[in-house]
Amino acid sequence: MSLMPNIDNPTAKTLADLGVTDALAIPPLFAEIRARFDAEILRSRDETNWNITKVMWLGRKSGVLTQITENWLKPATPELKRAVGQQLNELRAHVETQIEARRAAIESGAEASALAHDRVDLSLPGVNRPVGSRHLIRQVFQEIEDIFFSIGFSVVEGPEIETPYYNFEALNIPEFHPVRDDMDTFYLELPPSPDKKTAPTPLLLRTHTSPMQIRTMEKQKPPVRVIVPGKVYRRDNPDATHSFAFHQIEGLAVDSDITFCDFTGTIEYFVKQFFGPSVKTRFRPSYFPFTEPSVEFDVSCPFCGGTGASNGTTCSKCKGAAWIELFGAGMVDPAVYGFVNYDAKKVSGFAFGIGIDRLAMLKYGIDDIQVFFQNDVRFLRQFP
Ligand code: PHE
Protein backbone atom coordinates (compact mmCIF):
# COMPACT_ATOMS: atom_id res chain seq x y z
CA MET A 1 0.00 0.00 0.00
CA SER A 2 1.33 3.40 -0.87
CA LEU A 3 1.34 5.82 2.03
CA MET A 4 1.15 8.77 -0.30
CA PRO A 5 -2.22 9.27 -1.88
CA ASN A 6 -2.12 8.83 -5.64
CA ILE A 7 -3.96 12.01 -6.42
CA ASP A 8 -1.45 14.77 -6.86
CA ASN A 9 1.30 12.31 -6.01
CA PRO A 10 3.66 12.74 -8.94
CA THR A 11 5.88 9.81 -7.93
CA ALA A 12 3.05 7.36 -8.71
CA LYS A 13 3.21 8.39 -12.36
CA THR A 14 5.91 8.11 -14.98
CA LEU A 15 7.72 11.13 -16.32
CA ALA A 16 5.96 10.58 -19.63
CA ASP A 17 2.60 10.68 -17.79
CA LEU A 18 3.69 13.91 -16.15
CA GLY A 19 4.54 15.32 -19.56
CA VAL A 20 8.24 15.78 -18.69
CA THR A 21 10.47 15.47 -21.75
CA ASP A 22 13.20 17.99 -20.99
CA ALA A 23 16.07 17.28 -18.58
CA LEU A 24 15.81 20.89 -17.39
CA ALA A 25 12.44 20.07 -15.81
CA ILE A 26 13.97 17.37 -13.58
CA PRO A 27 15.65 19.46 -10.83
CA PRO A 28 12.50 21.49 -10.02
CA LEU A 29 10.54 18.26 -9.81
CA PHE A 30 12.98 16.91 -7.23
CA ALA A 31 13.07 20.21 -5.37
CA GLU A 32 9.34 19.89 -4.78
CA ILE A 33 9.69 16.35 -3.42
CA ARG A 34 12.54 17.45 -1.19
CA ALA A 35 10.51 20.34 0.24
CA ARG A 36 7.74 17.90 1.02
CA PHE A 37 10.18 15.68 2.89
CA ASP A 38 11.68 18.60 4.84
CA ALA A 39 8.24 19.60 6.07
CA GLU A 40 7.34 16.07 7.10
CA ILE A 41 10.55 15.30 8.93
CA LEU A 42 10.11 18.47 10.98
CA ARG A 43 6.75 17.22 12.15
CA SER A 44 8.02 13.85 13.34
CA ARG A 45 8.91 14.65 16.85
CA ASP A 46 8.57 11.35 18.59
CA GLU A 47 9.53 7.79 17.78
CA THR A 48 6.17 6.72 16.36
CA ASN A 49 6.02 9.58 13.91
CA TRP A 50 9.65 9.18 13.02
CA ASN A 51 9.01 5.52 12.11
CA ILE A 52 6.07 6.41 9.90
CA THR A 53 8.11 9.03 8.09
CA LYS A 54 10.99 6.64 7.62
CA VAL A 55 8.81 3.90 6.10
CA MET A 56 7.01 6.40 3.94
CA TRP A 57 10.25 7.65 2.39
CA LEU A 58 12.71 4.79 2.58
CA GLY A 59 10.29 1.81 2.68
CA ARG A 60 11.56 -0.86 0.29
CA LYS A 61 8.26 -1.74 -1.28
CA SER A 62 6.48 1.56 -1.70
CA GLY A 63 8.56 4.29 -0.09
CA VAL A 64 8.82 7.48 -2.08
CA LEU A 65 12.40 6.76 -3.13
CA THR A 66 11.41 3.30 -4.39
CA GLN A 67 8.52 4.84 -6.31
CA ILE A 68 10.85 7.31 -7.95
CA THR A 69 13.21 4.50 -8.93
CA GLU A 70 10.38 2.42 -10.36
CA ASN A 71 8.26 5.10 -11.98
CA TRP A 72 10.70 7.82 -12.95
CA LEU A 73 14.17 6.31 -13.29
CA LYS A 74 13.57 2.90 -14.84
CA PRO A 75 11.18 3.89 -17.63
CA ALA A 76 13.02 7.18 -18.35
CA THR A 77 14.17 7.94 -21.87
CA PRO A 78 17.95 7.85 -22.30
CA GLU A 79 18.05 11.68 -22.46
CA LEU A 80 16.41 12.00 -19.03
CA LYS A 81 17.93 9.02 -17.25
CA ARG A 82 21.20 10.71 -16.34
CA ALA A 83 19.51 13.72 -14.76
CA VAL A 84 16.99 11.61 -12.85
CA GLY A 85 19.70 9.29 -11.55
CA GLN A 86 21.83 12.15 -10.33
CA GLN A 87 18.94 13.94 -8.62
CA LEU A 88 17.70 10.72 -7.08
CA ASN A 89 21.10 10.04 -5.53
CA GLU A 90 21.20 13.51 -4.04
CA LEU A 91 17.69 13.18 -2.67
CA ARG A 92 18.45 9.76 -1.17
CA ALA A 93 21.56 11.08 0.57
CA HIS A 94 19.56 14.01 1.94
CA VAL A 95 16.68 11.86 3.17
CA GLU A 96 18.97 9.33 4.83
CA THR A 97 21.06 11.91 6.70
CA GLN A 98 18.00 13.83 7.83
CA ILE A 99 16.21 10.75 9.06
CA GLU A 100 19.28 9.70 10.96
CA ALA A 101 19.78 13.16 12.43
CA ARG A 102 16.18 13.17 13.51
CA ARG A 103 16.52 9.87 15.27
CA ALA A 104 19.51 11.19 17.21
CA ALA A 105 17.60 14.30 18.19
CA ILE A 106 14.58 12.36 19.40
CA GLU A 107 16.77 10.00 21.41
CA SER A 108 18.65 12.81 23.09
CA GLY A 109 15.36 14.21 24.31
CA ALA A 110 15.84 17.49 22.48
CA GLU A 111 12.58 17.00 20.70
CA ALA A 112 10.71 16.18 23.88
CA SER A 113 11.71 19.48 25.41
CA ALA A 114 10.80 21.32 22.21
CA LEU A 115 7.40 19.68 22.43
CA ALA A 116 6.95 20.73 26.04
CA HIS A 117 8.04 24.22 25.07
CA ASP A 118 5.37 24.50 22.38
CA ARG A 119 2.58 23.05 24.48
CA VAL A 120 -0.21 25.51 25.34
CA ASP A 121 -0.35 26.15 29.07
CA LEU A 122 -4.04 26.43 29.81
CA SER A 123 -3.40 27.68 33.33
CA LEU A 124 -1.89 30.97 32.09
CA PRO A 125 -4.04 34.09 32.40
CA GLY A 126 -5.79 35.19 29.20
CA VAL A 127 -4.77 38.10 27.00
CA ASN A 128 -5.93 41.33 28.60
CA ARG A 129 -7.63 43.66 26.13
CA PRO A 130 -8.28 46.91 27.98
CA VAL A 131 -11.47 48.71 27.01
CA GLY A 132 -11.01 52.41 26.27
CA SER A 133 -13.23 55.16 27.60
CA ARG A 134 -14.45 58.48 26.30
CA HIS A 135 -12.10 61.43 26.78
CA LEU A 136 -13.28 63.87 29.44
CA ILE A 137 -13.74 66.58 26.80
CA ARG A 138 -16.01 64.25 24.83
CA GLN A 139 -17.97 63.49 27.99
CA VAL A 140 -18.49 67.18 28.73
CA PHE A 141 -19.60 67.78 25.13
CA GLN A 142 -22.16 65.02 25.58
CA GLU A 143 -23.34 66.42 28.91
CA ILE A 144 -23.89 69.89 27.43
CA GLU A 145 -25.50 68.52 24.26
CA ASP A 146 -27.98 66.54 26.38
CA ILE A 147 -28.99 69.68 28.28
CA PHE A 148 -29.65 71.58 25.06
CA PHE A 149 -31.40 68.62 23.42
CA SER A 150 -33.88 68.71 26.30
CA ILE A 151 -34.93 72.24 25.35
CA GLY A 152 -35.26 71.71 21.61
CA PHE A 153 -31.82 72.42 20.18
CA SER A 154 -30.20 70.12 17.64
CA VAL A 155 -26.53 69.56 16.84
CA VAL A 156 -24.76 70.64 13.67
CA GLU A 157 -21.07 70.36 12.91
CA GLY A 158 -18.85 72.27 10.51
CA PRO A 159 -15.39 72.49 8.97
CA GLU A 160 -12.30 73.24 11.03
CA ILE A 161 -10.68 74.76 7.92
CA GLU A 162 -12.54 77.96 7.11
CA THR A 163 -12.41 80.94 4.79
CA PRO A 164 -11.85 84.39 6.26
CA TYR A 165 -15.36 85.21 5.03
CA TYR A 166 -17.07 82.76 7.38
CA ASN A 167 -14.62 83.13 10.24
CA PHE A 168 -14.60 86.94 10.16
CA GLU A 169 -16.34 89.01 7.48
CA ALA A 170 -19.81 87.50 7.63
CA LEU A 171 -19.62 87.78 11.42
CA ASN A 172 -19.28 91.52 11.01
CA ILE A 173 -15.51 91.50 11.55
CA PRO A 174 -14.04 93.35 8.55
CA GLU A 175 -10.36 93.18 7.67
CA PHE A 176 -8.25 95.36 10.01
CA HIS A 177 -10.87 95.17 12.75
CA PRO A 178 -8.92 95.13 16.04
CA VAL A 179 -10.66 92.00 17.40
CA ARG A 180 -8.80 90.03 14.75
CA ASP A 181 -5.71 90.54 16.88
CA ASP A 182 -7.22 88.33 19.60
CA MET A 183 -8.05 85.71 17.03
CA ASP A 184 -4.74 85.28 15.30
CA THR A 185 -4.63 81.81 13.85
CA PHE A 186 -2.90 79.42 11.47
CA TYR A 187 -3.23 79.98 7.74
CA LEU A 188 -2.84 77.17 5.25
CA GLU A 189 -0.13 77.30 2.63
CA LEU A 190 -1.98 76.85 -0.65
CA PRO A 191 -0.80 76.00 -4.16
CA PRO A 192 -1.15 78.88 -6.67
CA SER A 193 -4.38 79.03 -8.67
CA PRO A 194 -4.27 77.28 -12.08
CA ASP A 195 -4.13 80.56 -14.03
CA LYS A 196 -1.33 81.77 -11.68
CA LYS A 197 -2.79 85.29 -11.87
CA THR A 198 -5.36 85.44 -9.09
CA ALA A 199 -4.28 84.64 -5.57
CA PRO A 200 -5.97 81.51 -4.10
CA THR A 201 -8.70 82.14 -1.51
CA PRO A 202 -6.88 82.07 1.82
CA LEU A 203 -7.85 79.29 4.22
CA LEU A 204 -7.39 79.28 7.98
CA LEU A 205 -8.07 77.11 10.99
CA ARG A 206 -11.27 78.50 12.51
CA THR A 207 -10.72 80.56 15.65
CA HIS A 208 -14.21 79.89 16.99
CA THR A 209 -17.31 77.86 16.17
CA SER A 210 -19.20 81.06 15.24
CA PRO A 211 -18.71 80.57 11.45
CA MET A 212 -21.33 77.85 11.81
CA GLN A 213 -23.86 80.54 12.75
CA ILE A 214 -23.47 81.84 9.21
CA ARG A 215 -23.37 78.44 7.51
CA THR A 216 -26.49 77.34 9.38
CA MET A 217 -28.50 80.47 8.57
CA GLU A 218 -27.43 80.35 4.92
CA LYS A 219 -28.91 76.87 4.67
CA GLN A 220 -31.95 77.20 6.88
CA LYS A 221 -34.79 79.66 7.26
CA PRO A 222 -35.84 80.63 10.79
CA PRO A 223 -36.69 79.21 13.30
CA VAL A 224 -33.15 78.08 14.08
CA ARG A 225 -32.08 76.35 17.29
CA VAL A 226 -28.70 74.71 16.98
CA ILE A 227 -25.60 73.99 18.98
CA VAL A 228 -22.23 73.39 17.34
CA PRO A 229 -19.61 71.37 19.20
CA GLY A 230 -16.14 71.50 17.72
CA LYS A 231 -12.42 72.12 17.78
CA VAL A 232 -11.04 75.63 17.31
CA TYR A 233 -7.54 77.08 16.94
CA ARG A 234 -5.61 80.18 17.92
CA ARG A 235 -2.01 81.20 17.74
CA ASP A 236 -1.60 81.08 21.52
CA ASN A 237 1.49 79.91 23.34
CA PRO A 238 0.67 76.90 25.50
CA ASP A 239 0.46 77.41 29.24
CA ALA A 240 -1.86 76.21 32.02
CA THR A 241 -4.87 78.03 30.54
CA HIS A 242 -3.95 78.40 26.85
CA SER A 243 -3.62 75.93 24.03
CA PHE A 244 -3.39 76.41 20.26
CA ALA A 245 -6.28 73.97 19.90
CA PHE A 246 -9.28 73.86 22.18
CA HIS A 247 -13.01 73.17 22.13
CA GLN A 248 -16.19 75.21 21.97
CA ILE A 249 -19.90 74.75 21.74
CA GLU A 250 -21.62 77.46 19.79
CA GLY A 251 -25.31 78.09 20.34
CA LEU A 252 -27.69 79.94 18.05
CA ALA A 253 -31.42 80.55 18.36
CA VAL A 254 -33.21 82.76 15.82
CA ASP A 255 -36.96 83.16 15.52
CA SER A 256 -39.60 85.81 14.98
CA ASP A 257 -40.00 86.75 18.63
CA ILE A 258 -36.93 85.87 20.67
CA THR A 259 -36.27 88.34 23.48
CA PHE A 260 -33.41 89.10 25.83
CA CYS A 261 -35.45 87.25 28.51
CA ASP A 262 -35.50 84.06 26.43
CA PHE A 263 -31.76 84.48 26.08
CA THR A 264 -30.92 84.86 29.78
CA GLY A 265 -33.51 82.24 30.76
CA THR A 266 -31.95 79.69 28.42
CA ILE A 267 -28.45 80.38 29.68
CA GLU A 268 -29.59 80.22 33.31
CA TYR A 269 -31.31 76.91 32.67
CA PHE A 270 -28.16 75.50 31.12
CA VAL A 271 -25.84 76.72 33.88
CA LYS A 272 -28.07 75.30 36.64
CA GLN A 273 -28.34 71.97 34.86
CA PHE A 274 -24.58 71.84 34.45
CA PHE A 275 -23.38 73.10 37.86
CA GLY A 276 -26.38 72.32 40.04
CA PRO A 277 -29.61 74.13 40.99
CA SER A 278 -28.12 76.31 43.75
CA VAL A 279 -25.79 78.38 41.52
CA LYS A 280 -26.73 81.88 40.43
CA THR A 281 -25.89 83.55 37.14
CA ARG A 282 -25.18 87.14 36.24
CA PHE A 283 -24.15 88.91 33.08
CA ARG A 284 -21.86 91.82 32.48
CA PRO A 285 -21.68 94.02 29.39
CA SER A 286 -19.08 92.89 26.90
CA TYR A 287 -18.27 93.27 23.23
CA PHE A 288 -18.40 90.98 20.20
CA PRO A 289 -18.81 92.36 16.65
CA PHE A 290 -21.54 89.82 15.85
CA THR A 291 -23.76 90.33 18.93
CA GLU A 292 -25.47 93.46 20.20
CA PRO A 293 -25.81 93.78 23.10
CA SER A 294 -22.98 91.45 24.06
CA VAL A 295 -22.52 89.98 27.50
CA GLU A 296 -20.15 87.87 29.52
CA PHE A 297 -21.89 85.30 31.70
CA ASP A 298 -20.66 84.57 35.22
CA VAL A 299 -21.73 81.82 37.60
CA SER A 300 -21.65 82.10 41.38
CA CYS A 301 -18.67 79.98 42.44
CA PRO A 302 -20.05 76.43 42.81
CA PHE A 303 -17.13 75.50 45.10
CA CYS A 304 -17.56 78.06 47.88
CA GLY A 305 -21.29 78.58 47.42
CA GLY A 306 -20.62 82.06 46.06
CA THR A 307 -19.10 83.33 49.30
CA GLY A 308 -15.49 83.67 48.12
CA ALA A 309 -14.25 81.64 51.10
CA SER A 310 -14.12 78.00 52.00
CA ASN A 311 -12.90 76.43 55.27
CA GLY A 312 -12.04 79.86 56.58
CA THR A 313 -9.62 80.67 53.74
CA THR A 314 -9.96 82.34 50.38
CA CYS A 315 -11.64 80.00 47.87
CA SER A 316 -8.94 78.73 45.52
CA LYS A 317 -11.35 78.32 42.61
CA CYS A 318 -12.75 81.83 42.35
CA LYS A 319 -9.78 83.44 44.18
CA GLY A 320 -12.20 85.04 46.60
CA ALA A 321 -14.22 86.76 43.86
CA ALA A 322 -17.34 84.63 44.57
CA TRP A 323 -18.07 84.67 40.80
CA ILE A 324 -16.50 82.78 37.95
CA GLU A 325 -16.47 84.07 34.38
CA LEU A 326 -18.06 81.46 32.13
CA PHE A 327 -18.48 82.50 28.50
CA GLY A 328 -19.41 85.17 26.00
CA ALA A 329 -22.80 85.59 24.39
CA GLY A 330 -25.30 88.14 23.15
CA MET A 331 -28.26 88.98 20.94
CA VAL A 332 -27.39 88.41 17.28
CA ASP A 333 -26.27 91.71 15.74
CA PRO A 334 -28.76 92.73 12.99
CA ALA A 335 -25.78 93.36 10.68
CA VAL A 336 -25.16 89.58 10.66
CA TYR A 337 -28.66 88.90 9.28
CA GLY A 338 -27.68 91.01 6.28
CA PHE A 339 -25.03 88.44 5.34
CA VAL A 340 -27.48 85.54 5.30
CA ASN A 341 -30.51 87.21 3.76
CA TYR A 342 -32.61 87.16 6.92
CA ASP A 343 -34.95 90.12 7.39
CA ALA A 344 -33.49 91.91 10.42
CA LYS A 345 -36.84 93.61 10.98
CA LYS A 346 -38.65 90.32 11.34
CA VAL A 347 -36.26 88.08 13.25
CA SER A 348 -34.28 88.24 16.45
CA GLY A 349 -32.12 85.77 18.30
CA PHE A 350 -29.20 85.04 20.58
CA ALA A 351 -25.86 83.30 20.33
CA PHE A 352 -23.29 82.03 22.78
CA GLY A 353 -19.87 80.42 22.63
CA ILE A 354 -18.95 78.11 25.48
CA GLY A 355 -15.31 77.16 26.03
CA ILE A 356 -15.49 73.45 26.83
CA ASP A 357 -11.98 72.99 28.18
CA ARG A 358 -12.49 75.81 30.66
CA LEU A 359 -15.82 74.42 31.81
CA ALA A 360 -14.41 70.91 32.18
CA MET A 361 -11.47 72.27 34.19
CA LEU A 362 -13.83 74.15 36.48
CA LYS A 363 -16.26 71.33 37.03
CA TYR A 364 -13.70 68.57 37.51
CA GLY A 365 -11.04 70.57 39.36
CA ILE A 366 -8.32 70.39 36.69
CA ASP A 367 -5.67 73.09 36.88
CA ASP A 368 -3.79 72.61 33.60
CA ILE A 369 -5.45 72.60 30.17
CA GLN A 370 -2.47 70.72 28.70
CA VAL A 371 -3.53 67.44 30.33
CA PHE A 372 -6.42 67.26 27.87
CA PHE A 373 -3.99 66.98 24.99
CA GLN A 374 -1.19 64.91 26.50
CA ASN A 375 -3.37 61.77 26.61
CA ASP A 376 -1.58 60.33 29.62
CA VAL A 377 -3.69 57.29 30.50
CA ARG A 378 -3.15 57.94 34.21
CA PHE A 379 -5.15 61.15 33.72
CA LEU A 380 -7.72 59.66 31.33
CA ARG A 381 -8.41 56.74 33.70
CA GLN A 382 -9.62 59.14 36.37
CA PHE A 383 -12.69 59.86 34.21
CA PRO A 384 -13.94 56.44 33.11
N1 PHE B 1 -17.04 83.34 19.24
C1 PHE B 1 -16.78 84.02 20.47
C2 PHE B 1 -15.37 83.68 20.95
O1 PHE B 1 -14.86 82.65 20.57
C3 PHE B 1 -17.78 83.67 21.55
C4 PHE B 1 -19.17 84.10 21.23
C5 PHE B 1 -20.00 83.26 20.54
C6 PHE B 1 -19.64 85.33 21.66
C7 PHE B 1 -21.31 83.65 20.24
C8 PHE B 1 -20.94 85.71 21.40
C9 PHE B 1 -21.77 84.88 20.69
O2 PHE B 1 -14.77 84.40 21.71
Side-chain angles (χ1 to χ4, degrees), residues 268-300:
E268 194 171 317
Y269 173 78
F270 159 68
V271 173
K272 281 187 194 293
Q273 290 291 311
F274 190 76
F275 285 109
S278 56
V279 296
K280 293 195 198 78
T281 54
R282 74 173 184 190
F283 57 84
R284 290 173 288 116
S286 183
Y287 174 76
F288 299 100
F290 39 95
T291 48
E292 182 61 34
S294 302
V295 304
E296 204 70 52
F297 265 94
D298 294 346
V299 61
S300 62

Side-chain angles (χ1 to χ4, degrees), residues 183 207-208 210 213 234 248 250 288 290-291 328-330 351-353:
M183 293 197 177
T207 60
H208 49 180
S210 303
Q213 291 189 28
R234 288 191 201 174
Q248 288 187 335
E250 191 81 8
F288 299 100
F290 39 95
T291 48
F352 53 87

